[in-house]
Amino acid sequence: MTTQMKEKPPLGQIIVITSGKGGVGKTTSAAAISAGLAKLGHKTVVIDFDVGLRNLDMIMGCERRVVYDFINVIQGDARLKQALIKDKRLDTLFILPTSQTRDKDALTKDGVEAVLNELKEEFDYIICDSPAGIERGAQLAMYFADEAVVVTNPEVSSVRDSDRVLGLLASKTKRAESPEGEPVKARVLLTRHDQTRIDKGEMMTVDDVLEILAVPLIGIIPESQAVLRASNVGTPVILDEPSTASMAYEDTVARLTGEEVEMRIGEERRPGLFQRLFGRTS
Amino acid sequence: MRTETANGRSGRATVTAQPFQIRGRFITAIALRLESAKLDAAFYEALDEHLHRAPQLLLNAPLLLDLGLVPGLTDKEVLRALVAELRKRNLQVFGVQNVSSDPQREATEALGLIPVAIGRETSVEKAGKSGRSKIDRLLPPDNKLITKPVRSGQVIFAERGDLTVIGSVSSGAELVASGNIHVYGTLRGRAFAGVHGNESARIFCLRQEAELLAIAGIYRTSESIGDTLRNHSLQVFLKDEGLYLEALT
């Protein structure tokens, strides 16, 4: 009893990373945010809900260590402890990979709830990486969430899909279905922000996006080569060498934990005059 | 007879709640009463002379054949020839009335002519509609107030009354109301007012970027709304069978 009292009880906050549209950066963001939270000392687990299209483990660089997965746990074939993969870089970060061979029908509401309840006993933050779309997988990823990060690109179809997802968060979640209690706290994470293209009128401005979505902004991630690089080497952007994107994710993570951080729009350094004259330097 | 709306792009809209709409239509038709079953050259000569005197009145008019005085006219071929002659004169024969016998009914039905009952029967659809409006009258109006933004994919339906939204309506969202629609925000989605046929229903919004605006089934899409009233606060109403947009100053 006394030893347990010394430790702070886990926060048990469930955050879904969702978007509706595919390819906007959900998994990259889920990896970066969970690594960022773990880096701050919070015990964090990230769950891949994209059953059948297992990607998170690759972005996290642990694909070769997967034995049991989320579906095995839901179906009772493995214990949760067996399926959780501990990150090699941060000892507060865990990954619950999904199955590549099954499909979204293998997810059940009761099964997901049981796994999440067990994780809440131990973790401060439970990050649910939602699949694209608004079908079963995406709905179950968001159903038990306390908070949502809606990943959006400054582009019309992405904004419209995010809007649809915000509608689902406000109606098809456990918090929405219980009359008392707060609704899911949803915030927008704008990714692939490119000021040069916005200036040319090829992309929507931050204000345009927020005007349509009418929810607070949690961060602006600039379009960056570092993101692609990090994905390919299996390191969350935030743990890779410093870049504008990793700094933007760090700010985002700080805001998630309740800190107030001023919004800044970092950009990839544009090639200067000399670089343009003499070609690429690297 | 009702004509299609003055605006070329307007037309019938469907509502999500029901994929079609049944609306009452009164058309004016002329009836040609045959005084005798003798359809000879003299008959057509008299008809031609009449048409010559009032060509505008009868040209392309929907026409009923009144067979009340010619119960003996049951020969399908004679009737077929008569219909062909009338159509040659741009008279649009579509039905018959006062059919007195079964052979006559069979002959006219075989020619595709619709038996029209005048002033005695009402159609099933019409009875259904009046039944509904009776229920609508008995129930109190049920206005709806939405205080959150309406998101893409959401449909808000005010079955009996007005729909008011405080906030914006996203592209891909739909508002459906039997009465008026008010949007205190930007209307980017679709709005259907007066869906049960209330032609005096109106749509109001603080800022218009709508995908579609419809009142009582008459609609305009974003393309036909045009850009002149985009981003304006405005009201939408029906006038002369057309959908009008008017800026609110």
Side-chain angles (χ1 to χ4, degrees), chain B:
Chain B
M1 187 185 167
R2 188 174 178 157
T3 54
E4 270 307 318
T5 53
N7 186 307
R9 290 193 191 268
S10 301
R12 299 278 84 85
T14 53
V15 177
T16 344
Q18 199 175 301
F20 54 82
Q21 212 183 37
I22 290 164
R23 310 188 64 202
R25 273 287 181 280
F26 294 96
I27 57 163
T28 310
I30 44 175
L32 182 70
R33 192 170 66 186
L34 300 180
E35 303 280 336
S36 109
K38 219 172 112 192
L39 303 170
D40 52 11
F43 170 84
Y44 291 112
E45 207 172 289
L47 183 65
D48 282 337
E49 196 193 323
H50 193 93
L51 287 174
H52 185 69
R53 263 187 286 144
Q56 293 308 316
L57 183 70
L58 298 176
L59 193 68
N60 291 323
L63 185 137
L64 278 173
L65 277 180
D66 189 336
L67 303 179
L69 295 178
V70 286
L73 186 61
T74 55
D75 189 326
K76 200 169 114 186
E77 290 314 311
V78 173
L79 282 164
R80 187 193 298 279
L82 170 66
V83 170
E85 286 291 333
L86 293 174
R87 288 196 171 140
K88 214 156 76 184
R89 290 167 173 79
N90 282 331
L91 295 169
Q92 310 295 321
V93 191
F94 73 96
V96 284
Q97 67 181 68
N98 296 325
V99 173
S100 50
S101 62
D102 282 339
Q104 200 170 48
R105 182 171 300 115
E106 280 163 25
T108 53
E109 273 174 8
L111 290 170
L113 298 176
I114 308 157
V116 177
I118 304 292
R120 286 195 298 268
E121 295 169 20
T122 46
S123 71
V124 177
E125 297 289 6
K126 236 182 145 188
K129 192 162 179 150
S130 69
R132 176 182 201 141
S133 65
K134 198 174 175 187
I135 291 169
D136 285 350
R137 272 200 304 275
L138 290 173
L139 290 166
D142 185 12
N143 297 325
K144 230 178 211 174
L145 175 69
I146 306 291
T147 54
K148 283 180 197 158
V150 182
R151 304 285 183 188
S152 182
Q154 284 184 300
V155 180
I156 312 284
F157 193 22
E159 171 78 40
R160 298 190 317 278
D162 290 5
L163 174 57
T164 306
V165 178
I166 300 168
S168 290
V169 178
S170 291
S171 149
E174 286 183 359
L175 304 180
V176 185
S178 67
N180 305 309
I181 292 176
H182 306 262
V183 179
Y184 295 97
T186 308
L187 173 57
R188 296 191 178 88
R190 300 158 163 235
F192 302 85
V195 286
H196 295 326
N198 179 3
E199 297 189 354
S200 61
R202 294 188 177 206
I203 300 169
F204 306 86
C205 61
L206 279 192
R207 194 170 146 180
Q208 186 275 129
E209 290 179 38
E211 291 174 334
L212 189 146
L213 298 166
I215 293 172
I218 310 287
Y219 70 87
R220 280 167 81 168
T221 62
S222 169
E223 195 180 39
S224 62
I225 292 166
D227 288 336
T228 44
L229 286 171
R230 211 175 164 76
N231 296 331
H232 280 69
S233 60
L234 51 76
Q235 61 163 329
V236 187
F237 53 94
L238 279 187
K239 195 174 127 190
D240 305 329
E241 305 288 329
L243 197 71
Y244 280 79
L245 280 72
E246 191 179 277
L248 294 167
T249 46

Side-chain angles (χ1 to χ4, degrees), chain A residues 160-168 170-171 208 211-215, chain B residues 148-154 168 170-173 186 188 207 209 211:
Chain A
R160 181 194 275 210
D161 291 358
S162 293
D163 190 61
R164 179 88 167 93
V165 163
L166 285 166
L168 293 177
S171 60
D208 284 347
E211 219 257 308
I212 290 174
L213 297 181
V215 285
Chain B
K148 283 180 197 158
V150 182
R151 304 285 183 188
S152 182
Q154 284 184 300
S168 290
S170 291
S171 149
T186 308
R188 296 191 178 88
R207 194 170 146 180
E209 290 179 38
E211 291 174 334

Side-chain angles (χ1 to χ4, degrees), chain A residues 17-250:
Chain A
I17 314 290
T18 183
S19 74
K21 195 173 187 306
V24 295
K26 276 183 302 297
T27 301
T28 304
S29 298
I33 287 170
S34 49
L37 287 165
K39 213 169 129 185
L40 293 176
H42 303 291
K43 201 170 177 197
T44 306
V45 59
V46 55
I47 311 174
D48 192 349
F49 272 80
D50 202 351
V51 186
L53 294 169
R54 198 176 81 192
N55 286 153
L56 180 72
D57 49 331
M58 297 173 86
I59 309 266
M60 298 296 290
C62 65
E63 74 274 16
R64 289 158 66 193
R65 296 160 62 204
V66 176
V67 183
Y68 294 107
D69 59 47
F70 189 23
I71 303 301
N72 294 141
V73 179
I74 283 179
Q75 298 186 335
D77 299 333
R79 278 177 292 115
L80 186 55
K81 289 256 186 296
Q82 293 175 295
L84 283 175
I85 300 174
K86 190 174 178 178
D87 188 81
K88 281 186 170 168
R89 295 151 294 210
L90 296 164
D91 56 7
T92 44
L93 180 59
F94 290 79
I95 298 113
L96 183 54
T98 192
S99 165
Q100 178 74 355
T101 53
R102 310 296 294 271
D103 61 32
K104 268 105 183 157
D105 295 333
L107 291 172
T108 61
K109 196 180 263 185
D110 293 343
V112 171
E113 185 171 29
V115 171
L116 290 175
N117 282 341
E118 203 177 334
L119 290 171
K120 273 165 97 167
E121 299 293 310
E122 206 176 323
F123 288 92
D124 294 318
Y125 289 100
I126 298 145
I127 309 295
C128 302
D129 179 25
S130 170
I134 51 170
E135 281 75 43
R136 190 181 178 82
Q139 293 208 6
L140 281 173
M142 71 171 67
Y143 188 77
F144 298 101
D146 301 305
E147 251 185 271
V149 173
V150 181
V151 183
T152 307
N153 290 166
E155 171 257 324
V156 281
S157 61
S158 173
V159 172
R160 181 194 275 210
D161 291 358
S162 293
D163 190 61
R164 179 88 167 93
V165 163
L166 285 166
L168 293 177
L169 284 166
S171 60
K172 296 275 173 65
T173 53
K174 196 181 175 194
R175 277 175 176 255
E177 283 169 10
S178 60
E180 72 282 355
E182 292 281 294
V184 178
K185 185 178 180 186
R187 284 182 282 185
V188 177
L189 178 65
L190 209 62
T191 54
R192 312 199 69 165
H193 182 271
D194 187 337
Q195 193 60 48
T196 322
R197 296 191 65 192
I198 290 173
D199 292 342
K200 279 193 224 157
E202 293 173 356
M203 275 185 160
M204 295 171 79
T205 66
V206 178
D207 288 343
D208 284 347
V209 175
L210 294 180
E211 219 257 308
I212 290 174
L213 297 181
V215 285
L217 184 66
I218 194 162
I220 301 171
I221 314 298
E223 173 83 333
S224 166
Q225 296 297 321
V227 173
L228 183 66
R229 206 195 84 81
S231 296
N232 281 325
V233 299
T235 307
V237 190
I238 222 163
L239 300 180
D240 207 24
E241 52 199 53
S243 63
T244 50
S246 71
M247 288 184 323
Y249 273 119
E250 271 170 8

